DNA sequence: GCTTGTATACTCGGATACAAAATGTCCGAGTTCTACGGG
DNA sequence: CCCGTAGAACTCGGACATTTTGTATCCGAGTATACAAGC
């Protein structure tokens, strides 16, 4: 199992955008140069965040992206779900109903598959942890100097 | 994010093997027919479980697979890790150190990335839930008639 | 009839093709700024 | 000198290739069985 790298990109971009609130909107090219990422592909992922209502986009020559909600109201689960699409680590195929195993046991299948239930329990614990943390929490956990340094360096980038 | 279907196969096979303890070893062909799965590919996954020390394999004409440990000592985490390989949903690429973002902030990077920490916290919650449940728990949660029906039908398969 | 040797059929084990998804790239639609012409 | 208008540059948005991962399959190594021959 592996989570796409776009998740890391999206989270870092959200935190950076929160720190650069004064500079909104921020174009993709700036964010790509900021983290040395492929600009076009990063844009694709930011679009996904926009479709999910986490970012807001402005077209045109002075356009770019900005946060659509205050950082306190954007959870890590929101970002992961937006970038990865419908997240469902374990997908029960109901193989218990197939082959010899499924013959003459219809009554047992009215109850949910115990394996699917167990896997889903773990998935819910994961989602709960992600939903309990917000972009604001990440900002608070970062070194104190990060926010100020980010704003200063961004201004130095020129434009 | 998506977990390979081999996880479901592996878990169902472990439970079934536990119920069929009297019939060990059980060849791949039987298990494949049991759940209507591609035999060769299922074998590949059972080999992974064998390499991890969860199953034991016996070659030869009367060979097959059996549980290498009692069901109480096989956790869901063991099976998932064996089938999926090194499971690490979020893989921090340290993009914070790249591009403009990483200039002149070496001191901040001595501390772990807050985003990686947050994601890992969720991953650990997931692993904890998986490690807390065993194959024996799945057997206990299954309908009471399942074990007996499995043994009876397996005997009827012939051989 | 019993033992022994050999051939055979069936099993696991790893190396090899195929398909799907994630990654990366490209072109088109829209908006703002700028420059030029007119008043 | 000021205003209006038209052009151009820059941005987002979605559609199109390429690489990586997961899925599926094939052939080779090894072992217990069954059969036949010899004692």
């Amino acid at each position: 199992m592996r989570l796409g790298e776009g998740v890391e990109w999206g989270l870092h971009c959200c935190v950076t955008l929160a720190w650069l609130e004064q500079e909104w909107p921020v174009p993709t090219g700036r964010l790509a140069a900021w983290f040395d990422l492929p600009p076009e592909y990063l844009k694709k992922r930011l679009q996904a965040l926009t479709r999910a209502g986490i970012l807001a986009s402005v077209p045109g020559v002075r356009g770019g992206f900005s946060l659509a909600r205050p950082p306190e109201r954007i959870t890590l689960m929101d970002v992961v779900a937006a970038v990865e699409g419908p997240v469902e680590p374990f997908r029960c195929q109901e193989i218990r109903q197939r082959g010899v195993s499924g013959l003459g046991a219809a009554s047992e299948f009215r109850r949910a598959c115990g394996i699917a239930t167990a896997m889903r329990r773990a998935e819910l614990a994961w989602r709960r942890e992600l939903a309990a943390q917000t972009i604001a929490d990440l900002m608070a956990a970062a070194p104190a100097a990060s926010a100020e340094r980010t704003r200063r360096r961004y201004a130095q980038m020129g434009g």
Side-chain angles (χ1 to χ4, degrees), chain A residues 10-157:
Chain A
L11 289 171
H12 273 288
C13 286
C14 283
V15 172
T16 302
L17 281 173
W19 278 332
L20 294 177
E21 184 177 359
Q22 308 291 336
E23 310 285 345
W24 287 355
V26 178
T28 304
R30 292 291 190 87
L31 287 171
W34 191 255
F35 294 114
D36 188 25
L37 300 175
E40 295 299 321
Y41 189 39
L42 175 61
K43 181 159 65 71
K44 188 188 186 74
R45 292 305 169 86
L46 296 180
Q47 287 173 14
L49 290 170
T50 302
R51 276 193 294 270
I54 295 171
L55 300 185
S57 66
V58 176
V61 59
R62 291 263 175 164
F65 291 93
S66 49
L67 291 185
R69 298 200 293 269
E72 299 83 19
R73 300 189 59 186
I74 302 176
T75 70
L76 272 60
M77 186 69 244
D78 293 334
V79 176
V80 171
V83 173
E84 287 287 314
V87 177
E88 190 177 11
F90 182 82
R91 205 172 39 164
C92 182
Q93 305 279 65
E94 289 289 338
I95 66 171
R96 61 175 181 161
Q97 297 190 25
R98 300 165 53 179
V100 178
S101 166
L103 296 178
S107 63
E108 295 180 12
F109 300 151
R110 314 188 78 169
R111 293 191 177 275
C113 175
I115 289 174
T117 303
M119 294 299 295
R120 185 150 193 85
R121 189 174 305 160
E123 177 187 337
L124 288 176
W126 180 71
R127 299 174 90 99
R128 188 177 305 119
E129 284 293 323
L130 289 181
Q133 300 185 73
T134 68
I135 297 297
D137 295 329
L138 294 179
M139 296 167 70
S146 293
E148 179 57 29
R149 188 176 52 81
T150 296
R151 280 188 280 266
R152 190 167 57 244
R153 282 227 176 272
Y154 186 84
Q156 290 174 357
M157 284 179 82

